[in-house]
Amino acid sequence: MTAAILVEPAPAKLNLFLHVIGRREDGYHLLETLFVFTEAGDELTVSAADSLSLAIEGPYAGVLAGEQDNLILRAARALADAAGLQNAGARLVLQKNLPVAAGLGGGSADAAATLRALNQLWRLNRSLEQLAEIGAGLGADIPACVYSKPMWGHGIGTELIPTRLTEALPVILVNPGLPLATPDVFRTYAELGREFSAELPEQDSSLQPSLAWAAGLANDLETAARLCLPLLEDVRDALLEQEGVRLVRMAGSGPTWFAVFDNQAQASLAAERLRRCRPDWWVAETTVKCGQ
């Protein structure tokens, strides 16, 4: 084990599109999606210790205070078990910058960062593929977050194909300050009784996706999310009014929305306006990474 202090980013996850294409007998919905990741996110610091511990800091630390079974600790234990480590220890400190239950994959990204960081701290030499397999046992979004680069997602989101965007995307993220549970959104979606989206042509998975291409698709969960939380329509409308906006879409199952702009200056100006007009909303300006 190394004595180094390691700092691991936990980038926010967006779904550039999200289609629900079916439902399994066990109730899980089948998806087609394009996972992308932003420069914004949480941050995890790990260091050697005799026992496993977690401290949470940052603007959203209070929301997680007293949580008994944090996904970070579950990820750490799962990695230790997979490696056959007995009494594995580490001190983990999470800087919680992202809102909780925001549809940004924050918890999944934190768990993925834990797997990457402890893999290095404990000198396990596991590949990202092996870490993703461990993560899949903890949550459907965790494998994509392990890679933290653009990925086509299939199945329940755990079947992944790497890709690369044609361009980096200046975006702002807006959350109205109210949580929205993913199970509630999927339950409402099922109650709507709509037909499932058709699968994309197989060759689409070989494309280098562009914003123009993604704009022709959709997030199938938006209507269900707005029914669960009508305030989301206000967020969408406020983003559509901004100058230079190219695409407005809900992130994952909501309630965060993202807007893509022509350039970073327009994104910054829109973020400034929204913070001034809606100080009760969380607004972050960032960039969606192209991938490698």
Side-chain angles (χ1 to χ4, degrees), residues 166-185:
T166 57
E167 59 181 319
L169 304 175
V171 300
I172 62 172
L173 312 175
V174 180
N175 183 286
L178 296 173
L180 182 59
T182 296
D184 292 343
V185 176

Side-chain angles (χ1 to χ4, degrees), residues 132-157:
E133 185 176 351
I134 294 170
L138 300 169
D141 281 347
I142 295 177
C145 292
V146 165
Y147 294 101
S148 287
K149 61 182 182 181
M151 285 277 178
W152 298 99
H154 302 271
I156 61 172

Side-chain angles (χ1 to χ4, degrees), residues 48-229:
D50 293 332
S51 60
L52 198 60
S53 66
L54 172 65
I56 304 178
E57 303 172 348
Y60 290 96
V63 182
L64 300 177
E67 192 175 51
Q68 298 299 312
D69 192 26
N70 188 281
L71 193 55
I72 288 176
L73 293 175
R74 290 170 56 197
R77 295 186 187 108
L79 180 60
D81 289 345
L85 297 181
Q86 300 294 325
N87 302 316
R91 182 174 186 269
L92 303 103
V93 180
L94 176 68
Q95 176 71 22
K96 189 61 185 170
N97 300 317
L98 299 176
V100 177
L104 295 170
S108 296
D110 298 341
T114 301
L115 294 173
R116 293 192 303 268
L118 291 182
N119 181 53
Q120 185 174 350
L121 183 75
W122 293 340
R123 296 182 177 177
L124 301 178
N125 297 317
R126 295 296 197 270
S127 66
L128 290 180
E129 290 80 4
Q130 290 172 313
L131 297 180
E133 185 176 351
I134 294 170
L138 300 169
D141 281 347
I142 295 177
C145 292
V146 165
Y147 294 101
S148 287
K149 61 182 182 181
M151 285 277 178
W152 298 99
H154 302 271
I156 61 172
T158 56
E159 300 171 23
L160 302 171
I161 301 173
T163 187
R164 179 182 171 86
L165 300 183
T166 57
E167 59 181 319
L169 304 175
V171 300
I172 62 172
L173 312 175
V174 180
N175 183 286
L178 296 173
L180 182 59
T182 296
D184 292 343
V185 176
F186 274 101
R187 182 170 55 252
T188 302
Y189 174 86
E191 290 170 353
L192 289 173
R194 296 184 173 180
E195 292 186 5
F196 295 122
S197 290
E199 294 187 49
L200 294 175
E202 186 175 345
Q203 65 266 23
D204 281 1
S205 293
S206 65
L207 294 175
Q208 188 177 26
S210 66
L211 180 65
W213 176 86
L217 305 176
N219 182 336
D220 288 348
L221 298 180
E222 285 187 8
T223 298
R226 293 201 305 269
L227 288 172
C228 292
L229 191 61

Side-chain angles (χ1 to χ4, degrees), residues 234-264:
D234 294 343
V235 179
R236 179 198 58 187
D237 293 345
L239 287 170
L240 287 170
E241 293 173 356
Q242 302 305 312
E243 182 178 350
V245 69
R246 299 171 65 187
L247 174 70
V248 173
R249 186 157 289 167
M250 193 175 72
S253 59
T256 303
W257 290 75
F258 67 92
V260 183
F261 288 82
D262 286 328
N263 54 62
Q264 196 65 56

